[in-house]
Amino acid sequence: MNNAEGHPKIKEDGTLETRCETCLRELFEEVLIELKRGRIHERISKENICNLLHLKKDHFEHCRVDSKLGTGDKMRSIGLFIVRVNENEVKFSLNDTKENKVVEWLKIDDIIQNNPGSRRDIYVTLRPFIKYVNKHPIH
């Protein structure tokens, strides 16, 4: 969902952010997330995401992706939180429209079946995660 190009920053205690912390920071810099469940209508933040979306550190996956397919050039480190949510209860909107133009739900089948032909493959960074999710279903 989020294609942020964030880099780890130094925290107040002088240590470097973990990949997981960097991913969360970037997510909340660029995306607003709201939970609407019955009478609960709450904005999700770094402080409450673990509780409201049952997010755990083992929901974070990391891989290195060749951004120019087949060349070995410009390897990128990509992180992704994989969490099962009800898309009717969790709403995403852009906080930063300068870096991103759209936020949307993606269907795994659409990513797998996409055949860009001679066009740029917009799902190249997601495919390693899709392979992982297919082998390790989220419960």
Side-chain angles (χ1 to χ4, degrees):
M1 186 219 44
N2 186 5
N3 191 21
E5 292 200 28
H7 303 280
K9 292 186 177 179
I10 297 174
K11 299 185 289 187
E12 288 183 20
D13 66 2
T15 62
L16 194 62
E17 287 177 327
T18 65
R19 291 176 178 145
C20 182
E21 290 168 330
T22 301
C23 190
L24 274 177
R25 178 182 46 77
E26 284 291 326
L27 173 68
F28 288 106
E29 283 178 4
E30 298 178 19
V31 178
L32 298 172
I33 309 171
E34 290 183 309
L35 175 67
K36 294 178 183 179
R37 219 183 261 158
R39 292 185 174 153
I40 298 173
H41 184 201
E42 192 166 352
R43 190 173 185 184
I44 295 177
S45 67
K46 283 191 287 189
E47 291 73 30
N48 65 17
I49 191 170
C50 293
N51 183 43
L52 293 176
L53 294 184
H54 309 289
L55 181 69
K56 299 176 186 165
K57 289 194 188 265
D58 62 350
H59 291 145
F60 180 75
E61 293 302 322
H62 173 264
C63 72
R64 294 185 55 78
V65 177
D66 182 353
S67 56
K68 289 187 178 179
L69 198 57
T71 65
D73 190 28
K74 293 195 175 184
M75 291 298 285
R76 293 174 45 188
S77 179
I78 307 289
L80 182 75
F81 281 102
I82 302 172
V83 181
R84 183 181 299 277
V85 296
N86 180 336
E87 64 185 279
N88 296 314
E89 295 176 348
V90 180
K91 304 294 179 198
F92 297 91
S93 59
L94 289 175
N95 188 32
D96 176 356
T97 56
K98 185 177 180 181
E99 278 193 55
N100 298 300
K101 303 295 181 221
V102 67
V103 59
E104 63 186 347
W105 291 103
L106 299 174
K107 294 182 179 171
I108 289 175
D109 289 340
D110 292 344
I111 295 167
I112 293 170
Q113 295 169 6
N114 179 59
N115 182 1
S118 62
R119 298 174 311 196
R120 181 167 96 55
D121 185 358
I122 61 173
Y123 298 128
V124 68
T125 58
L126 293 176
R127 286 212 174 81
F129 296 106
I130 299 307
K131 290 176 185 175
Y132 177 85
V133 170
N134 282 338
K135 289 180 184 175
H136 306 90
I138 303 166
H139 302 290

